[in-house]
């Protein structure tokens, strides 16, 4: 049985400010680095065989906390980047609501293609789902930890599980430095074992930020 741990990166200043990061390369803040150091021993206890991260620094630096404990290298994969948020990247959510009211309303309602040059949910799920599968293939029968982003994590998980958008909207967001656990076997395929696991108690922030 293969175990895939999908780990959201730690907090950033843009997370704290509800500013849309998307694929902007925003670093961890002090809280985010502490979250990664706190979560890393728990994940090290799962005895991972490989670590893969989005190439954005907030994900790479989160993964580095686990690499420091396990001695494993961090492989990067650009396909694991967060959803591309087009014209919204760099704006606060209040600015988005003011400047793009129609697109913002569609996004809040779960429209998979809200406009404003935002990557569609279908494209996002296929991109990240393929990266998740390739990461899992690095250690078939073992454990792989993937450091990625909140919105991308949910859509990639949905792609592997075969869940549609309506089902995914009922799944809560990953908090910073929390993770989802999937397992795969030859009989059941991919299945969900746990979601939003972690020690840090905090409200989940919207995936866009």
């Amino acid at each position: 049985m293969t175990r895939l741990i999908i780990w959201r990166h730690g907090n950033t200043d843009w997370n704290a400010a509800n500013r849309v990061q998307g694929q902007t390369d925003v670093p961890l803040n002090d809280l985010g680095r502490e979250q990664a150091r706190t979560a890393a021993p728990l994940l090290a206890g799962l005895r991972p065989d490989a670590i893969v991260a989005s190439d954005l620094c907030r994900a790479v630096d989160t993964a580095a906390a686990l690499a420091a404990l396990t001695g494993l290298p961090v492989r990067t994969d650009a396909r694991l980047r967060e959803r591309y948020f087009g014209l919204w990247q760099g704006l606060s959510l209040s600015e988005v609501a003011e400047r793009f009211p129609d697109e913002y309303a569609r996004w809040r309602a779960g429209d998979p293609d809200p406009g404003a040059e935002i990557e569609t949910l279908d494209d996002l799920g296929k991109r990240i789902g393929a990266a998740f599968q390739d990461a899992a293939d690095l250690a078939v029968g073992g454990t792989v930890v993937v450091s990625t982003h909140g919105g991308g994590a949910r859509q990639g998980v949905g792609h592997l599980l075969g869940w549609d958008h309506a089902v995914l909207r009922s799944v809560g967001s990953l908090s910073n430095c929390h993770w989802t656990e999937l397992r795969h076997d030859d009989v059941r395929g991919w299945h969900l074992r746990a979601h939003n696991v972690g020690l840090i108690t905090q409200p989940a922030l919207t995936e866009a930020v």
Side-chain angles (χ1 to χ4, degrees), residues 1 12 17 39 51 58 70 73-74 114 126-127 129 137 145 173 175-176 184 200:
M1 183 176 294
T12 72
I51 303 171
R58 59 191 184 270
T70 62
V74 177
K126 290 174 183 176
R127 167 169 66 83
D137 289 344
V145 175
S173 301
S175 299
N176 287 117
H184 184 277
I200 307 157

Side-chain angles (χ1 to χ4, degrees), residues 86-187:
L87 301 177
W88 295 7
Q89 293 190 165
L91 301 178
S92 68
L93 287 179
S94 60
E95 290 170 332
V96 168
E98 179 180 350
R99 298 184 195 182
F100 301 91
D102 294 339
E103 293 89 343
Y104 179 74
R106 291 201 295 272
W107 174 70
R108 294 285 294 176
D111 188 329
D113 188 8
E117 301 179 13
I118 297 171
E119 184 177 11
T120 70
L121 290 182
D122 285 337
D123 287 346
L124 176 64
K126 290 174 183 176
R127 167 169 66 83
I128 296 196
F132 284 170
Q133 184 62 63
D134 287 348
D137 289 344
L138 293 172
V140 175
T143 297
V144 178
V145 175
V146 177
S147 176
T148 187
H149 309 267
R154 181 158 62 180
Q155 293 304 131
V157 165
H159 182 79
L160 290 186
L161 296 175
W163 293 358
D164 64 24
H165 302 313
V167 174
L168 286 176
R169 277 181 59 77
S170 69
V171 177
S173 301
L174 277 176
S175 299
N176 287 117
C177 266
H178 283 53
W179 59 88
T180 295
E181 179 181 339
L182 300 180
R183 296 200 186 185
H184 184 277
D185 62 49
D186 292 337
V187 176

Side-chain angles (χ1 to χ4, degrees), residues 13-42:
D13 287 343
W14 284 26
N15 282 147
N18 276 341
R19 189 167 296 279
V20 180
Q21 294 181 127
Q23 296 187 3
T24 308
D25 203 7
V26 182
L28 297 177
N29 57 23
D30 289 344
L31 173 60
R33 287 186 285 272
E34 179 59 29
Q35 289 172 334
R37 287 192 295 267
T38 300
L42 297 178

